[in-house]
Every structure is written in structure tokens, then in C-alpha cells.
Amino acid sequence: MKEKISGIVLGTVKHSDRHNVTGVYTRERGRMAFLTPAGASRQSRQIASYFQPLSIIEAQVTINPNRDLHIPTAVSRTTVWRTIYYEPMKMTVALFLSEFLNKLLRDSPAEPSLWDFIMQSMKLFDTIDNDISTANFHITFLIGLMRLTGIFPDMSSYTTGMEFDMKSGRMVLPFSLQGRIRGLRIDAERAAFLPKLARINYANCHRFLFNGRERSEILDDILRYYGCHFPGCDHLKSLEILKEIFR
């Protein structure tokens, strides 16, 4: 059965001399694996250009429930990024987010609201021309994504001196050492900033003026939090490159 799908490209790995396997998060069927051509021919290079990280594509796919790899046809880009692939800061952010999403969505079913959030976020990112908004985009994206993944933290009980427990996603009194020993707590000094950070969004992210150390610590805490709920999301190869760009 042939089906038209809309997808967001997450990443590509080599499969053989002739083919790659490309992970795509689709609006209709969730995570799918596409068999895409490899090689140096003109046709292969053209098709490969459609499958760059975070490309938004449409394709016809023959659905076979007995196969893990699908061969897309009639592939087209529904949106052509004007800046993301051409500005070094944005490209670094895009590579980081694609690696993160590739881990987060490795077994994900279809969730149209999640797909729409990612797609609309990247469309907005492509139009940003403010350096502060660009530097804060990945932090804003990751916090916004917490709402759709069901792990947005509860800050309602916060008072001065409380810590943040990553497992429960809540502010807690610093009496128990168990969470801290396991590395699952954010201490009171850093947790004091969380209620403010939880209010960051695309409209106000240019007002959050972080230095390099603060941005690095915030990102580490966010990834540790994701890692508590989605194992593997806190170990990203692109993280150090991202920190270097925005230090």
C-alpha cells in the first residue's frame, strides 16, 4: 500500500556501498527508517540533499508491515531553509538538535502535535536574525519540548533553598541525600533559576542574557533531566561543539 508521508529528517548512517539508512520522524507513522541511495553520482547527491538533518520532506512510501526499511519515492522538500545550512551558528544548533531528536524519537509512534512543534520551531529558527535568540534557541526548544513529552517540571511549590528532583520533576526540600548521590538532583543554587527559566519561550528568549558558563550549565542540567526520563538523550557527540560555539 502506497502512502504519502510528511517527515522530518533526523540522521543518516551508512548501510552499504550503495545505500544509507535515514531516520525520519513522520507525522503519519512516527519514526521510520528509509533506505536512501549512497554514492557520488549526480542522482545520489541530489537525493542526499533532500535528507540533510532537519529537512522537511514529503514522499511516497510503500508500506510493508513485515519490513523495517522503506524505500521512499517522489521525494520533495516542502520547505527550503534559507539560513540554517549556511550560517555556522545555526548549522551547529541544527546538528545538535537532530542528534538529540534522533535519540529521543528512536521508537516513537506518530504524535502529530509533536511533529508540528518541531516543524514550526525549525521554520521560526530559519527566520531568526538576532544573535541572542539564536544562541538561546536550543535551550528554548528543549524546554518547550518538555510539555509535549510529558516531563515539564512542576515549579508551583518552589521556595528559596529547595532543590530540583529530576526523577519526579518537582522541587523538593534538601533533606534526602538519595537523589543527590545518584546525580539526580539540581542543587539549591542552580535550582533557584529554574522557575524563571521555565517561562522562556520563542517570543522572550532574546531577553535571557546568559554568559557561556551559564548556558553550558543550563544545557547540561536539561540534558541530564531528559536522560533521566529518556535514556541516552544526555550523551551527545555534538554537545561539546555546541558549547564551544556559544562559550
Side-chain angles (χ1 to χ4, degrees), residues 213-226:
R213 179 186 59 80
E214 290 169 336
R215 188 176 285 108
S216 178
E217 289 178 351
I218 289 168
L219 187 56
D220 283 341
D221 287 340
I222 289 173
L223 291 179
R224 282 201 301 135
Y225 182 49
Y226 269 102

Side-chain angles (χ1 to χ4, degrees), residues 134-191:
T134 298
N136 289 342
F137 179 84
H138 54 290
I139 291 174
T140 311
F141 176 91
L142 293 174
I143 291 175
L145 191 63
M146 290 177 187
R147 297 184 185 276
L148 294 167
T149 54
I151 63 168
F152 194 81
D154 179 5
M155 301 291 172
S156 61
S157 63
Y158 176 73
T159 58
T160 302
M162 296 184 82
E163 298 181 340
F164 181 68
D165 181 80
M166 292 188 177
K167 275 294 185 183
S168 66
R170 305 177 70 175
M171 307 303 295
V172 295
L173 294 172
F175 295 150
S176 170
L177 294 178
Q178 184 178 20
R180 189 181 299 117
I181 291 171
R182 294 178 179 175
L184 301 181
R185 290 270 183 101
I186 297 177
D187 63 38
E189 181 179 356
R190 283 164 72 161

Side-chain angles (χ1 to χ4, degrees), residues 17-68:
D17 290 340
R18 298 180 57 191
H19 295 98
N20 294 321
V21 174
T22 299
V24 179
Y25 185 61
T26 71
R27 195 174 193 277
E28 296 79 11
R29 289 184 170 269
R31 176 68 177 254
M32 299 181 71
F34 288 173
L35 196 65
T36 55
S41 70
R42 181 177 179 182
Q43 182 181 19
S44 294
R45 293 198 306 270
Q46 181 179 8
I47 295 175
S49 70
Y50 297 152
F51 291 98
Q52 295 184 73
L54 299 182
S55 286
I56 310 296
I57 63 168
E58 284 186 350
Q60 294 284 345
V61 181
T62 300
I63 304 298
N64 185 334
N66 297 319
R67 290 186 177 178
D68 295 327

Side-chain angles (χ1 to χ4, degrees), residues 62-241:
T62 300
I63 304 298
N64 185 334
N66 297 319
R67 290 186 177 178
D68 295 327
L69 292 177
H70 304 274
I71 300 176
T73 59
V75 181
S76 63
R77 281 175 292 195
T78 60
T79 303
V80 177
W81 303 134
R82 297 182 301 105
T83 66
I84 291 175
Y85 297 144
Y86 307 104
E87 296 181 7
M89 289 174 64
K90 288 191 174 183
M91 186 60 180
T92 303
V93 171
L95 291 174
F96 167 79
L97 291 180
S98 66
E99 184 185 1
F100 172 82
L101 290 170
N102 201 18
K103 290 179 178 289
L104 178 72
L105 303 174
R106 56 178 166 242
D107 297 311
S108 294
E111 295 184 46
S113 59
L114 176 58
W115 193 94
D116 290 344
F117 171 80
I118 299 170
M119 186 268 292
Q120 294 296 340
S121 294
M122 297 314 300
K123 282 188 173 182
L124 175 64
F125 187 46
D126 193 47
T127 68
I128 290 175
D129 58 6
N130 179 286
D131 286 348
I132 298 175
S133 295
T134 298
N136 289 342
F137 179 84
H138 54 290
I139 291 174
T140 311
F141 176 91
L142 293 174
I143 291 175
L145 191 63
M146 290 177 187
R147 297 184 185 276
L148 294 167
T149 54
I151 63 168
F152 194 81
D154 179 5
M155 301 291 172
S156 61
S157 63
Y158 176 73
T159 58
T160 302
M162 296 184 82
E163 298 181 340
F164 181 68
D165 181 80
M166 292 188 177
K167 275 294 185 183
S168 66
R170 305 177 70 175
M171 307 303 295
V172 295
L173 294 172
F175 295 150
S176 170
L177 294 178
Q178 184 178 20
R180 189 181 299 117
I181 291 171
R182 294 178 179 175
L184 301 181
R185 290 270 183 101
I186 297 177
D187 63 38
E189 181 179 356
R190 283 164 72 161
F193 188 65
L194 294 182
K196 178 181 178 182
L197 188 63
R199 296 195 293 271
I200 197 171
N201 56 49
Y202 294 136
N204 66 20
C205 66
H206 63 282
R207 298 178 182 174
F208 287 71
L209 305 179
F210 307 125
N211 60 38
R213 179 186 59 80
E214 290 169 336
R215 188 176 285 108
S216 178
E217 289 178 351
I218 289 168
L219 187 56
D220 283 341
D221 287 340
I222 289 173
L223 291 179
R224 282 201 301 135
Y225 182 49
Y226 269 102
C228 285
H229 299 273
F230 304 99
C233 287
D234 50 343
H235 299 294
L236 305 178
K237 295 179 181 178
S238 58
L239 179 59
E240 292 307 315
I241 300 173

